[in-house]
């Protein structure tokens, strides 16, 4: 059940991140009056505030997480990938989750929006989004906060059904392990202002 455990852990972690993002967006909405008073001091657009910036960035990131959840579920939580697992059990869960996935697929442009607008370089078949002859683009995605809440709720239900069917796998998880246990992030203390001054002299002279 090694690969099944990996797939379930991936889905559960994605669902957790989705929940965190959407709940944060909910709180941004609940506290928008306070957050709008916080200006981004060094940003070129002096009208930009923390409510708009945080909401925009998290909304974009939510699409990346939504797309990753769908891809993991479709590509890896299936009998062809999990060849060592009783396929009837996977099919059973897939059937329970059918209504939820059908609703998710109504947002048919999640992957396209993710690929072209938030994860890569604003290009469509090598054509820049900023080209003067670029036609208006339309994306059917969870754009409203109510839609994001719905997606998060569906993802939660999907994971509950997976947990119930494969409870023996889930109970074997090490709940004390976190993702940072499996990686090392290498950063360093730098004097960014000093370096920028030096680089400015080299690059703008």
């Amino acid at each position: 059940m090694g690969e099944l455990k990996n797939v379930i852990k991936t889905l559960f972690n994605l669902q957790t991140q989705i929940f965190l993002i959407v709940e944060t967006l909910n709180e941004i909405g609940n506290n928008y009056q306070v957050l709008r008073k916080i200006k981004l001091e060094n940003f070129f657009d002096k009208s930009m505030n923390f409510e708009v910036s945080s909401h925009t960035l998290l909304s974009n990131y939510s699409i990346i997480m939504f797309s990753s959840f769908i891809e993991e579920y479709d590509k890896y939580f299936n009998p062809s990938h999990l060849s060592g697992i009783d396929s009837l059990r996977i099919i059973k869960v897939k059937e329970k989750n059918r209504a939820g996935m059908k609703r998710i697929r109504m947002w048919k442009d999640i992957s396209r929006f993710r690929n072209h607008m938030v994860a890569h370089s604003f290009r469509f078949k090598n054509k820049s989004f900023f080209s003067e002859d670029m036609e208006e683009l339309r994306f059917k995605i969870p754009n409203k906060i109510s839609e994001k809440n719905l997606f998060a709720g569906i993802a939660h239900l999907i994971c509950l059904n997976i947990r119930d069917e494969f409870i023996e796998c889930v109970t074997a998880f090490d709940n004390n392990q976190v993702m940072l246990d499996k990686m090392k992030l290498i950063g360093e203390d730098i004097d960014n202002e000093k370096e920028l001054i030096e680089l400015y002299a080299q690059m703008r002279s």
Side-chain angles (χ1 to χ4, degrees):
M1 281 202 173
E3 181 57 14
L4 174 64
K5 183 170 73 171
N6 294 337
V7 172
I8 293 176
K9 273 191 171 184
T10 300
L11 286 169
F12 283 16
N13 272 279
L14 287 168
Q15 187 267 321
T16 299
Q17 289 194 47
I18 287 169
F19 181 72
L20 178 60
I21 292 167
V22 174
E23 277 300 291
T24 303
L25 286 168
N26 283 326
E27 288 306 313
I28 290 172
N30 292 338
N31 296 279
Y32 72 93
Q33 291 178 319
V34 173
L35 297 177
R36 283 181 182 175
K37 294 177 181 178
I38 303 173
K39 303 299 182 181
L40 304 189
E41 182 179 348
N42 296 313
F43 193 64
F44 73 92
D45 183 352
K46 298 306 178 184
S47 66
M48 180 59 67
N49 61 69
F50 191 76
E51 184 264 336
V52 173
S53 64
S54 58
H55 184 276
T56 300
L57 294 171
L58 280 175
S59 291
N60 286 343
Y61 187 56
S62 74
I63 299 299
I64 295 175
M65 291 294 100
F66 293 165
S67 180
S68 295
F69 185 88
I70 295 168
E71 181 181 13
E72 184 71 20
Y73 184 81
D74 286 344
K75 189 174 181 179
Y76 297 105
F77 186 69
N78 62 64
S80 61
H81 179 72
L82 299 170
S83 56
I85 306 301
D86 182 355
S87 61
L88 293 178
R89 297 182 70 186
I90 299 173
I91 293 169
K92 176 183 175 183
V93 178
K94 289 275 193 180
E95 185 59 35
K96 282 187 174 183
N97 289 337
R98 183 184 298 277
M101 288 306 298
K102 181 179 179 180
R103 180 62 183 90
I104 281 176
R105 295 190 204 289
M106 291 176 68
W107 294 300
K108 61 185 180 62
D109 297 316
I110 289 176
S111 178
R112 191 165 70 97
F113 185 82
R114 178 251 183 215
N115 291 340
H116 297 305
M117 299 306 299
V118 294
H120 296 301
S121 56
F122 306 117
R123 288 193 173 272
F124 299 77
K125 297 180 179 178
N126 295 321
K127 185 176 183 179
S128 172
F129 171 80
F130 302 102
S131 297
E132 291 185 2
D133 59 346
M134 174 65 76
E135 297 179 358
E136 181 185 58
L137 300 169
R138 300 179 69 85
F139 298 99
K140 181 67 174 173
I141 61 171
N143 191 44
K144 303 286 188 179
I145 188 61
S146 58
E147 294 178 289
K148 291 180 173 64
N149 276 301
L150 178 57
F151 190 107
I154 294 171
H156 179 63
L157 293 173
I158 287 170
C159 288
L160 285 179
N161 285 336
I162 293 172
R163 181 204 65 186
D164 291 348
E165 179 60 35
F166 295 101
I167 191 66
E168 75 280 8
C169 183
V170 174
T171 54
F173 288 172
D174 179 359
N175 293 322
N176 294 317
Q177 186 182 62
V178 296
M179 292 177 69
L180 283 173
D181 293 336
K182 299 177 69 67
M183 70 176 89
K184 184 174 180 61
L185 304 179
I186 302 172
E188 54 184 321
D189 293 323
I190 61 171
D191 186 336
N192 60 289
E193 292 186 359
K194 178 175 180 290
E195 286 198 44
L196 281 172
I197 291 171
E198 293 171 351
L199 288 168
Y200 183 93
Q202 298 174 44
M203 297 169 66
R204 297 289 292 169
S205 59

